[in-house]
Amino acid sequence: MPTRPPRARRPRRPSARAAAAAAAACALIAAGSACTVTTDGSARPQAASSDTVGGMPVTDGPSGPRADAPAPQVQVAGGTHGRIDTLAASAVDDLGRFWAETFPRDFHRPFTPVARFVSWDSADPWTPGPLFCGDPTTGVANAGFCLSRNEIGWDRGPLMSDLVAQYGDLAPVVVLAHEYGHVVQYQTGVRTTQAPTIVLEQQADCYAGVFLRHVAEGGSAHFTMNTTDGLESALAVLVAIRDSPDDAGFGGSEHGSAFERITAFQEGFTSSASACAELDAADVDARRVAVPLAALGAGNPAPRPVDKAALDAVAASFAAMLSDTRLPEVRLPEPDTDDPTGGCDRSTSPATFCASTGAVAADLPALAALADGGPQGLGGDFTALSAVASRYALAAADARGATLTGGRAALRTACTTGAWSAHLGQDSGGAATSGDGPQAEGLRLRPGDLDEAVAGLLDGGLIAADIDGTTVPSAFARLDAFRDGFTGGVHTCRTMYP
């Protein structure tokens, strides 16, 4: 994943979260600035908006290089005139111009531009690339900022080429906006020798969000980005390059989970560079909601089978959530895997709620395909199970007479699915989260599950869709609604999205 290249490490002060990791539990959902307001020192949730993105209108239209873009005016050591290097050079050209204007305005000090840009092909053993940060680049499939030499470099081979193939021409822009975030970070005077890596990386993601907002507003000379599928693709890049923690778990030395990275990006997109500079270890810790560490990031559990037993576990856990919240009893149907339409004229494959029959139905082969990666290759078994849970959210809403169509219904569905996800984490423990399937000890939240839910939200799948399968066009709104449910529970969903 894109990160700065290895260099001599300086001693870092552990974050508050890391110091208490043995005794405290935490999760990877963070309350983003887009869905809370502070009045008297406490956060008051506000419903996500289905027709705006960080205060901007939801827009369609082109995303990627401008047809009339000028040639980039930067020199790239080892660069070519190929597509990838042109995209990357255009990105750093725009980034340099943007921060040269924005940095003095926000931080009241001059900005020092990057001194050198470097490109190489990590997969080419016959043509050694130029040195980056004083080191050979052969086999280095990475991108990074080198502080000691004030240079940014990237692998135009497998790293950038694969990201462009999967997520489009804005992928290098996202990666390099993050690396340029480190350039900005070191010039703000942040005490980088004491800040944990997680803080530095979250700040860089935040600065990337500031720049991508500039692109979305039409300020970039080389790129344009709409706030629907263009922004979704940019967010998907962050999911693709998220951390996959080892058994050490999340202790402050990581880039962050998908939800953490996206939350930091959202903060930059919706606020300002000065807000990114203020992000510190206490902020990172405070935004992590209490669920057991076993569900946060430690370990690498085997995929769950997506079968009838797993869907039965979804139904049982959803019913248990409603029971635990002391809401009026709702009788939920067992999942129907024989008729994927549930008796309706049409389905929302891979899962369907049929209001006329009261059935929640599932297409097991389609769910298996979703668990195998989905449209963008980022999903997993929890993506598939969450899609089924979203249809149970509609069944519960139908039982109390709530509307099932439109943006409010879709956001309520995402919110309730988030609440269900949090419910799965309440009793998670090492033993419960490491089993091979949901049958043995009930369905539990496991490492990576929430990132797989994020993938489903960005894919425009059922997690944030109404009964007709229509999703909310704003990816931010989908993420915020899911987060509302995870942090606030079912009662919050019913209040915010009645």
Side-chain angles (χ1 to χ4, degrees), residues 249-311:
F250 280 58
S253 61
E254 69 279 0
H255 284 64
S257 67
F259 234 126
E260 287 179 311
R261 300 199 70 169
I262 284 176
T263 297
F265 179 97
Q266 282 184 270
E267 183 167 349
F269 193 94
T270 58
S271 56
S272 65
S274 56
C276 299
E278 294 172 1
L279 194 154
D280 59 17
D283 292 322
V284 173
D285 297 347
R287 290 195 253 179
R288 290 178 168 181
V289 183
V291 299
L293 184 62
L296 173 60
N300 185 26
R304 303 177 182 92
V306 178
D307 54 17
K308 180 62 163 62
L311 305 194

Side-chain angles (χ1 to χ4, degrees), residues 98-193:
F98 172 76
W99 286 115
E101 178 181 339
T102 303
F103 189 92
R105 184 188 67 221
D106 284 15
F107 298 107
H108 311 291
R109 65 182 73 183
F111 179 70
T112 302
V114 174
R116 181 173 180 255
F117 300 102
V118 185
S119 170
W120 63 88
D121 184 349
S122 66
D124 184 356
W126 309 110
T127 309
L131 297 181
F132 176 61
C133 213
D135 296 323
T137 52
T138 302
V140 180
N142 213 333
F145 166 58
C146 176
L147 174 62
S148 63
R149 304 192 179 209
N150 189 24
E151 58 188 26
I152 284 178
W154 59 85
D155 168 33
R156 66 176 176 270
L159 174 67
M160 291 297 196
S161 294
D162 289 352
L163 287 174
V164 167
Q166 187 69 39
Y167 306 109
D169 288 342
L170 286 177
V173 182
V174 177
V175 171
L176 294 170
H178 170 94
E179 300 306 337
Y180 229 104
H182 289 301
V183 178
V184 175
Q185 177 181 76
Y186 283 99
Q187 295 188 40
T188 62
V190 63
R191 299 178 68 183
T192 54
T193 58

